[in-house]
Amino acid sequence: MPIDAQRCRAVLSKLDRDLVKLGSKLSAKSVHGFRTDTRRVQILLAELSPKLDRSGRKLLKLLNGIRKRAGKLRDLDVQLTALRNLKVPREPRRKTQLVNHLIELRARQEKKLSKSTEDCTIREIRKRLKRAAKRFKPESAHDPLSAAKSMIEHFHGSSAPLNEELLHEYRILSKRARYAAEFSAPAESAAAFIEEIKRVQDALGDWHDWLTLTQSAREYLGELHESPLVAELHNVTGAKYRHAVAMLSQLRGNQTSHAKPLVPKSTPSSGKNRQQGITAA
């Protein structure tokens, strides 16, 4: 399936705008936009382009360093949103303390990210990005949908039982596969693949966000027996984990039988399954 040249140009152009925003304001929206579009450009140049020159490799190295910094900030933004929306009747004071602690951590990460996005660095990245956009030849690119399927093919063919390690692996692989497939020219096969992957990716991302929040709470408040808030977060994370496993198990089944639809999109709420812990890895 051919690559969508218009999509390629749009992604490269959007990352250029993201860089301008990142250099002026580190809002949750600008940080998230930069991270996702950086990943898309990395897939486009490193996975779909037949050849990456020295300038392109330098570009990806610079982008990767900032993306990692931005990832730490993004994780804290997601944790704060989840924690603020969590209804916990017990330990309201502890919840407030944890929120303030995460806000302090975010401020530190924002300073580090600001330092890595100095004007000279942004200018160099934008210069190399424009050069890469000019040199990229869509007609010579690899088939995006085939590349996407090959990224996760070995995982679907595995019979290994699902655990946290495999969920983490697939969470990363599914992002790369989805971003690659999104470069395909419009077609039903590509749209179906993207939709199926996105449902599972959303479930895995939701579980990972709550897992990260639970780990932050443990570090700050103590273990389960020391804090009802940590115990509550542990139970919510367990429910998210089981939902992610169910989604991924069904996707594996679909890849072999193509007989069953994915399980419903709804995810367990924080008020359910409170007596259940995280499934053992």
Side-chain angles (χ1 to χ4, degrees):
M1 181 173 294
I3 198 167
D4 187 336
Q6 186 176 352
R7 168 72 173 167
C8 297
R9 289 192 294 270
V11 167
L12 289 164
S13 178
K14 188 171 183 300
L15 179 57
D16 184 64
R17 295 195 299 273
D18 290 335
L19 285 162
V20 174
K21 293 177 184 177
L22 198 67
S24 59
K25 186 178 181 181
L26 293 176
S27 66
K29 186 176 181 180
S30 65
V31 170
H32 179 59
F34 168 77
R35 289 185 68 240
T36 55
D37 288 325
T38 293
R39 286 187 179 277
R40 288 185 172 101
V41 168
Q42 288 174 325
I43 291 295
L44 180 64
L45 299 182
E47 303 284 348
L48 302 182
S49 177
K51 186 178 180 181
L52 188 64
D53 60 21
R54 183 178 178 182
S55 178
R57 289 193 296 271
K58 179 64 174 179
L59 168 65
L60 295 187
K61 184 177 180 180
L62 288 168
L63 285 172
N64 196 51
I66 300 178
R67 182 185 61 77
K68 288 181 178 179
R69 287 283 186 201
K72 294 179 180 180
L73 196 61
R74 173 64 178 170
D75 283 347
L76 288 165
D77 284 332
V78 171
Q79 289 179 59
L80 281 164
T81 299
L83 185 57
R84 284 165 173 157
N85 291 331
L86 180 68
K87 306 301 181 185
V88 187
R90 295 183 293 173
E91 289 199 315
R93 184 175 60 85
R94 286 291 187 97
K95 178 181 173 181
T96 301
Q97 288 175 344
L98 182 57
V99 167
N100 291 335
H101 172 65
L102 294 177
I103 289 173
E104 289 177 6
L105 292 179
R106 190 194 187 283
R108 291 180 209 163
Q109 290 300 330
E110 184 171 342
K111 285 182 180 179
K112 292 180 180 180
L113 180 56
S114 294
K115 191 174 181 180
S116 66
T117 54
E118 295 174 343
D119 289 344
C120 59
T121 304
I122 295 296
R123 282 199 299 270
E124 181 181 357
I125 293 176
R126 293 185 68 201
K127 180 182 71 175
R128 292 182 183 277
L129 184 62
K130 285 181 172 64
R131 188 181 301 164
K134 196 174 292 186
R135 294 178 178 177
F136 181 74
K137 305 297 180 185
E139 63 275 10
S140 303
H142 302 306
D143 177 351
L145 187 57
S146 296
K149 290 180 177 179
S150 67
M151 290 176 186
I152 53 178
E153 190 173 32
H154 79 280
F155 187 91
H156 289 155
S158 172
S159 59
L162 295 175
N163 54 31
E164 286 194 12
E165 184 179 353
L166 286 178
L167 261 64
H168 277 298
E169 179 184 350
Y170 191 83
R171 185 178 62 84
I172 295 170
L173 286 174
S174 64
K175 283 184 184 180
R176 295 175 60 233
R178 174 190 163 191
Y179 292 154
E182 286 176 348
F183 283 108
S184 298
E188 287 186 11
S189 56
F193 176 87
I194 292 167
E195 177 63 21
E196 192 171 45
I197 290 296
K198 187 177 184 302
R199 292 183 189 179
V200 179
Q201 183 189 334
D202 287 346
L204 291 169
D206 193 28
W207 159 69
H208 181 260
D209 292 341
W210 283 93
L211 177 64
T212 305
L213 174 57
T214 302
Q215 291 170 342
S216 295
R218 277 178 171 168
E219 291 174 5
Y220 186 67
L221 300 175
E223 293 297 329
L224 304 182
H225 64 280
E226 298 175 286
S227 170
L229 175 56
V230 174
E232 175 68 11
L233 289 171
H234 174 86
N235 290 335
V236 173
T237 303
K240 301 292 185 181
Y241 175 83
R242 288 185 290 278
H243 178 70
V245 168
M247 290 287 286
L248 191 49
S249 296
Q250 188 129 17
L251 177 61
R252 270 183 166 183
N254 287 350
Q255 296 303 312
T256 54
S257 67
H258 300 284
K260 298 178 181 180
L262 285 170
V263 295
K265 295 183 183 179
S266 60
T267 59
S269 68
S270 60
K272 297 179 181 179
N273 300 311
R274 292 187 174 179
Q275 302 304 316
Q276 301 176 28
I278 300 176
T279 303

